[in-house]
Structure formats: structure tokens, C-alpha cells
């Protein structure tokens, strides 16, 4: 399983699947931050957009992701104020530029993204920017993997661990997975050679019946991770339960803003209570994120659900499996192949 959506995209973009022997299959995992954002959180985001005097700042990937109540794009079309930003710092600037409005940054993403959000909240506090807040739905990767592999019916032989998350949390964060679930783990970068090297290292472990954590990305990732980034994260956020699309609520898998920073906590400031809602009818994103099925197994794939008219988040996100299969994959003899190599 390649945990990360960036890996999935890179695998397809570079035609790596068609280089692999029949005995090696790659399954996408739960590492696309947009895809794992639950429909209930999307609905909460939309409820914020509908409030008077509030404007929402979000990464572009989230804009068209459907919840039960529609998407941010639809809420914006109905008159809501939604700004696409490239970083939380841009959102803070929006707050400085619009002092009469509350600017709410929608915090999604894993350990990679959170230190930057924490630094922005600290910056807002230092400069007394009171009209800025964050709705944190940030998530931690190891608890989700733990939840995934506690299900012993899942037949995964090894894990390509995400390079960018690992740059923050370190290689050591996966040791318990290798030990407790006899799961070979290799931290891998995103270039084609990085991914192929990771697959070879996993295959070697499998052949020797070993299950340890190895690092195929030492130019970026260390054993202990980025201490400064982890301290920054810890200074503003604390661990909480949170809901994941497809998984439901996973204990201790999310990050909430610490009470000292309540002024910057949009959920508290606006009294937002997220309610669990149903996934879009027929959409199998939840099962895809758990590696139970692949996009072509979804009856809506490439029919009712396309990148122009997405039904679920995995078709919207630039890291989503359904988008990757749609853009780069072709079904041939029951297997997904890659356009580039088939076409020479
Ligand atoms: Fe959901 Fe569309 Fe993917 Fe089906 S093809 S799982 S509806 S995103």
C-alpha cells in the first residue's frame, strides 16, 4: 500500500505500474488529506460560509469536495465569501486586510501541514490579529494506519510510508506497525526512482520474512523527525478524537487547538458542532481509502463521477485515487495500466 496520495499520483504519472511484475500490486491508502476529510466536516465548513460577517480561506483542493449539504463552491455561488489561499499565512493576511470580517482558515492535512498552521496562529497572537481563526480538522497519520491494520482481513504485505509526513514525525513513528502487525515499512520519496527503490526494499523484506522500518528517503527524512516542527505543533495543538471519511471517528487521531489559543479556534468561536452525515449515495471513497477496493470497482467511476462532475472527494483532489485512475489509467485485461507506457 502506498499510503500517500502524492505517491499514487506519481505512480500513475510516471507509468510505474506497468513496470512492475504481476506479483506486485499497488493499493492506494488513506494519505490524501482532502479525501479523508469527512462529509460532516465539509458540512461544518459550509455552515461557516453561510454566517454573516465571516469569510472562509481554504486550499483550492477542498473547494469542490462534496459534503451532504453541497460543496464550498456551491456555497460561494450562493453568495458566501470563500477565498482560495496557498498557505495559512495568506489567510492571516486576508484577516489583516479585512478587519471588519472574521477570516476562518479551514485546517486540513497531516503532520506535514500543521506546524505551519501553528506558527500562523502564534503570529496572529503576537500581532493581536483578533479577526483570524482556524477550524482544525488536522489529522495524525499513525493512528489511522493502526486502525487500518487492526483489521486483519486487509491483505496488505507492506507499506510505502509517506515521505513528507515522515520528514516531520520521523522513521521511528512506524516501528510499532512493523512490530505489532509484522508489516514491512519503507519511508519513500516521490520521484519515480524513490518509489521503485521503496518497492524493491519492501519486496526484499517480504522475501526474507522480515518486518522492519527502513528509510529510502534519507536525504529528507531522519529517524527522529523534525524536532522544531514537532515542538511548534505541540505548542498550539493537542491530540483529540476526530472523524475520517470511511473510518468514522478514530480515537486520538486528530489535533485540536489548545485552550490557550481559544480566540483562534473557529469551532469554539462560532459554536460549530459537526454532525455525522451519510456519504454520497453509491460513492465508495471510504472503501478505497481503506484499500478494500479500487476506483474502477465503484459503479459511478467514469460514468456519473468524473473530475468535472465529482461525486466523492477521491475524484476531486489532485491526490485522489479516483482522479489518478481517471486521468492516467486505462483498464486492460481487467488490470489498470498506464497511458504513457501503453502508448509508447
Ligand atoms: Fe466516490 Fe467517484 Fe471515486 Fe466512486 S469514482 S468512489 S463516486 S469519488
Amino acid at each position: 500500500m502506498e499510503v500517500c496520495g502524492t505517491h499514487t499520483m506519481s505512480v500513475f504519472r510516471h507509468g510505474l505500474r506497468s513496470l512492475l511484475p504481476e506479483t506486485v500490486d499497488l493499493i492506494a491508502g488513506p494519505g490524501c488529506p482532502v479525501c479523508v476529510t469527512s462529509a460532516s466536516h465539509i458540512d461544518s465548513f459550509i455552515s461557516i460560509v453561510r454566517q454573516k460577517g465571516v469569510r472562509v480561506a481554504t486550499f483550492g483542493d477542498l473547494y469542490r469536495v462534496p459534503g451532504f449539504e453541497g460543496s464550498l463552491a456551491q456555497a460561494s455561488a450562493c453568495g458566501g465569501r470563500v477565498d482560495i489561499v496557498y498557505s495559512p499565512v495568506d489567510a492571516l493576511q486576508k484577516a489583516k486586510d479585512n478587519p471588519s470580517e472574521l477570516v476562518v482558515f479551514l485546517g486540513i492535512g497531516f503532520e506535514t501541514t500543521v506546524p505551519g498552521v501553528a506558527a500562523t496562529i502564534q503570529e496572529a497572537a503576537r500581532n493581536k490579529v483578533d479577526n483570524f481563526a482556524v477550524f482544525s480538522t488536522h489529522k495524525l497519520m499513525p493512528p489511522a494506519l493502526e486502525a487500518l491494520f487492526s483489521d486483519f482481513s486487509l491483505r496488505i504485505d507492506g507499506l510505502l510510508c509517506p515521505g513528507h509526513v515522515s520528514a516531520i514525525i520521523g522513521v521511528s513513528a512506524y516501528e510499532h506497525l512493523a512490530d505489532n502487525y509484522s508489516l514491512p515499512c519503507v519511508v519513500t520519496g516521490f520521484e519515480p526512482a524513490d518509489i521503485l527503490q521503496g518497492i524493491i526494499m519492501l519486496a526484499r523484506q517480504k522475501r526474507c520474512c522480515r518486518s522492519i522500518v527502513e528509510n529510502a528517503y534519507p536525504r529528507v527524512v531522519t529517524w527522529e523527525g523534525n524536532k522544531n516542527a514537532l515542538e511548534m505543533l505541540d505548542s498550539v495543538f493537542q491530540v483529540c478524537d476526530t472523524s475520517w471519511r470511511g473510518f468514522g471517528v478514530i480515537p486520538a487521531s486528530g489535533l485540536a487547538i489548545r485552550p490557550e489559543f481559544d480566540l483562534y479556534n473557529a469551532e469554539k468561536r462560532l459554536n460549530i458542532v459537526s454532525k455525522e452525515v451519510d456519504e454520497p449515495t453509491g460513492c465508495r471513497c471510504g472503501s478505497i481509502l481503506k484499500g478494500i477496493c479500487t476506483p474502477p470497482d465503484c459503479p459511478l467511476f467514469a460514468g456519473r463521477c468524473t473530475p468535472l462532475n465529482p461525486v466523492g472527494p477521491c475524484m476531486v483532489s489532485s491526490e485522489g485515487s479516483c482522479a489518478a485512475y481517471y486521468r492516467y489509467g486505462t483498464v486492460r485485461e481487467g488490470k489498470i495500466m498506464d497511458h504513457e507506457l501503453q502508448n509508447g
Side-chain angles (χ1 to χ4, degrees), residues 45-120:
F45 298 160
I46 289 167
S47 75
I48 295 175
V49 175
R50 288 178 181 155
Q51 299 210 19
K52 280 213 169 79
V54 178
R55 62 196 295 158
V56 155
T58 178
F59 293 134
D61 262 14
L62 207 53
Y63 194 58
R64 293 192 310 127
V65 175
F68 192 72
E69 298 270 340
S71 64
L72 289 168
Q74 288 163 336
S76 171
C78 292
R81 308 293 300 271
V82 182
D83 296 311
I84 308 271
V85 292
Y86 291 98
S87 80
V89 176
D90 292 346
L92 181 58
Q93 188 58 46
K94 290 264 176 219
K96 289 175 182 167
D97 295 343
N98 299 277
S100 62
E101 291 176 302
L102 174 67
V103 173
V104 176
F105 176 69
L106 305 181
I108 64 159
F110 302 112
E111 293 91 334
T112 329
T113 322
V114 189
V117 179
T120 307

Side-chain angles (χ1 to χ4, degrees), residues 224-306:
E224 68 281 356
N226 184 328
K227 201 163 154 277
N228 290 340
L230 288 171
E231 278 174 12
M232 175 62 76
L233 182 155
D234 195 44
S235 66
V236 175
F237 289 94
Q238 62 189 17
V239 174
C240 66
D241 301 345
T242 197
S243 87
W244 296 59
R245 199 177 287 248
F247 291 74
V249 174
I250 303 178
S253 68
L255 290 168
I257 295 172
R258 288 187 180 278
E260 307 88 282
F261 294 97
D262 267 356
L263 181 63
Y264 303 98
N265 186 335
E267 227 173 333
K268 287 196 177 163
R269 230 166 130 167
L270 299 171
N271 288 322
I272 307 289
V273 181
S274 300
K275 294 190 201 95
E276 286 303 313
V277 295
D278 292 337
E279 298 296 325
T281 311
C283 174
R284 301 193 65 186
C285 281
S287 299
I288 288 168
L289 291 164
K290 289 162 101 174
I292 295 170
C293 65
T294 61
D297 297 327
C298 173
L300 309 185
F301 178 74
R304 235 186 81 204
C305 183
T306 63

